Amino acid sequence: MVIPITVLDCDLLLYGRGHRTLDRFKLDDVTDDYLMSVYGFPRQFIYYLVELLGASLSRPTQRSRAISPETQILAALGFYTSGSFQTRMGDAIGISQASMSRCVANVTEALVERASQFIHFPADEASMQALKDEFYGLAGMPGVIGVVDCIHVAIKAPNAEDLSYVNRKGLHSLNCLMVCDIRGALMTVETNWPGSLQDYAVLQQSSLSSQFEAGMHKDSWLLGDSSFFLRTWLMTPLHIPETPAEYRYNMAHSATHSVIEKTFRTLCARFRCLDGSKGALQYSPEKSSHIILACCVLHNISLEHGMDVWSSPMTGPMEQPPEEEYEHMESLDLEADRIRQELMLTHFS
């Protein structure tokens, strides 16, 4: 007896000939509550992503039937927000787990291509001044245009011999450098640094550091914690404050720096593929870096669309390697130390 076997080519489903697409899942067939609970975003936001990414996700080939951009985006959002390629997720939108993986890759690259459109510092002086005013209104810290920190995201081991991605907790990770504004919008994201690099080394080698060292943002500075070196453009806390002014400076610094800590918790709460709760990202460092960046792009787009980024349940991110103190090195930059002393004298005395 001959039993016919049908072999489904995932590429046939994904790309397809002409404009015929597999549309087993229709947004109009489900409730808003369902979309939020399963995919993490409301209907109008998903429609916006279809409009934004549709051209990149519709690539006709000589094959038969393609998965629609809408379905590809839902597959990717399902992965980003759940952290796994669960069978039920693929079943819900009518595609296989392998096809889901290809959808995630396509949507990720489409978002990465548009990263500079959504992640950047303000381009005009009025907007930069507005940043300073907003940060000053938070805790009285003047001249601040952003808060910088690093976050580790767990990835699978690239290979047994490569230890460059092993952080101080013994886990493989990417150490991601980010800068945010007071709303939690990301203005710089660098996701490609191996986990063995300490925060100060990541910043030292980053394009962000090159921009500030070249004087791109004069008369302004970032705030960073004690894992970074004091710089003329980067204000860090005092390790052992002694005077009332120093205590007030540290308190204002801590209150302002908490914005990025909250942003990291929100990112990991909304995009569970980043928080390690479902295990490490099972991709190469390069692909993992792109997935992290894609989530950051979505984070900023959601802010632009008026979504409350603080409304997600606040769960902690992957356990971060402990900070090391570098305060004994701060005095090496005498000009930076002078600026900080003047800042404390002028605004916190």
Side-chain angles (χ1 to χ4, degrees):
M1 177 178 179
V2 179
I3 301 176
I5 299 176
T6 301
V7 179
L8 296 180
D9 184 340
C10 295
D11 285 337
L12 293 182
L13 298 177
L14 190 56
Y15 296 111
R17 180 187 297 114
H19 297 285
R20 290 190 299 165
T21 60
L22 287 174
D23 288 315
R24 298 179 184 174
F25 184 93
K26 296 287 189 180
L27 281 177
D28 293 337
D29 293 341
V30 296
T31 66
D32 290 333
D33 288 342
Y34 175 83
L35 291 174
M36 285 296 298
S37 64
V38 177
Y39 302 104
F41 293 93
R43 188 184 315 274
Q44 292 306 314
F45 183 86
I46 296 171
Y47 279 139
Y48 171 79
L49 292 181
V50 173
E51 180 180 351
L52 177 69
L53 308 178
S56 298
L57 301 176
S58 301
R59 293 175 288 184
T61 70
Q62 297 304 309
R63 299 181 178 183
S64 57
R65 304 178 71 193
I67 296 178
S68 68
E70 180 180 291
T71 302
Q72 291 186 60
I73 288 167
L74 288 172
L77 293 179
F79 168 71
Y80 297 148
T81 57
S82 72
S84 67
F85 291 114
Q86 296 180 353
T87 302
R88 65 176 181 83
M89 187 72 70
D91 290 344
I93 55 179
I95 62 175
S96 68
Q97 186 170 336
S99 292
M100 268 201 69
S101 179
R102 292 179 183 273
C103 290
V104 170
N106 283 352
V107 174
T108 295
E109 292 310 305
L111 287 167
V112 168
E113 289 171 1
R114 293 160 176 80
S116 62
Q117 178 181 345
F118 296 100
I119 300 175
H120 54 78
F121 277 93
D124 59 276
E125 285 299 322
S127 297
M128 292 296 281
Q129 185 59 49
L131 272 181
K132 296 179 185 180
D133 293 342
E134 290 170 349
F135 275 117
Y136 185 79
L138 176 63
M141 185 71 73
V144 178
I145 59 172
V147 185
V148 61
D149 209 345
C150 291
I151 182 172
H152 286 258
V153 176
I155 63 171
K156 73 173 183 179
N159 59 65
E161 298 177 356
D162 189 352
L163 300 180
S164 64
Y165 291 92
V166 179
N167 62 38
R168 283 173 284 159
K169 284 288 187 179
L171 304 173
H172 289 81
S173 67
L174 290 168
N175 196 4
C176 305
L177 178 73
M178 301 186 193
V179 176
C180 76
D181 67 13
I182 198 169
R183 300 178 304 131
L186 299 167
M187 300 181 292
T188 290
V189 175
E190 297 187 28
T191 60
N192 58 304
W193 299 105
S196 65
L197 281 182
Q198 296 175 28
D199 292 0
Y200 79 92
V202 168
L203 180 60
Q204 190 173 43
Q205 299 177 48
S206 68
S207 60
L208 175 70
S209 177
S210 299
Q211 292 172 14
F212 276 87
E213 291 289 348
M216 183 172 292
H217 304 290
K218 294 181 179 179
D219 303 319
S220 307
W221 45 71
L222 303 175
L223 290 191
D225 62 21
S226 58
S227 63
F228 298 108
F229 293 110
L230 179 69
R231 291 289 182 263
T232 57
W233 47 268
L234 177 65
M235 294 293 103
T236 60
L238 289 140
H239 178 52
I240 304 177
E242 296 178 349
T243 69
E246 290 175 347
Y247 275 101
R248 284 191 286 269
Y249 166 84
N250 268 15
M251 290 177 64
H253 189 291
S254 177
T256 308
H257 189 269
S258 67
V259 172
I260 197 163
E261 297 166 359
K262 194 174 183 182
T263 299
F264 285 166
R265 291 196 299 270
T266 299
L267 274 170
C268 292
R270 170 160 282 160
F271 303 106
R272 302 306 294 271
C273 66
L274 306 181
D275 74 350
S277 63
K278 298 294 178 66
L281 287 172
Q282 297 299 303
Y283 297 92
S284 68
E286 180 181 9
K287 290 184 178 179
S288 295
S289 170
H290 286 186
I291 287 172
I292 300 165
L293 181 54
C295 291
C296 292
V297 173
L298 288 172
H299 170 83
N300 274 13
I301 295 175
S302 67
L303 269 175
E304 287 191 7
H305 282 252
M307 295 179 63
D308 181 7
V309 298
W310 309 132
S311 63
S312 300
M314 301 298 278
T315 60
M318 165 191 171
E319 185 179 358
Q320 302 295 304
E323 293 179 4
E324 292 185 1
E325 300 294 340
Y326 302 101
E327 71 286 342
H328 61 285
M329 298 290 288
E330 289 178 350
S331 60
L332 292 179
D333 193 330
L334 297 180
E335 178 62 13
D337 187 65
R338 183 195 67 77
I339 291 173
R340 187 170 64 178
Q341 290 296 329
E342 184 177 307
L343 176 64
M344 288 186 289
L345 179 64
T346 305
H347 294 277
F348 296 99
S349 294

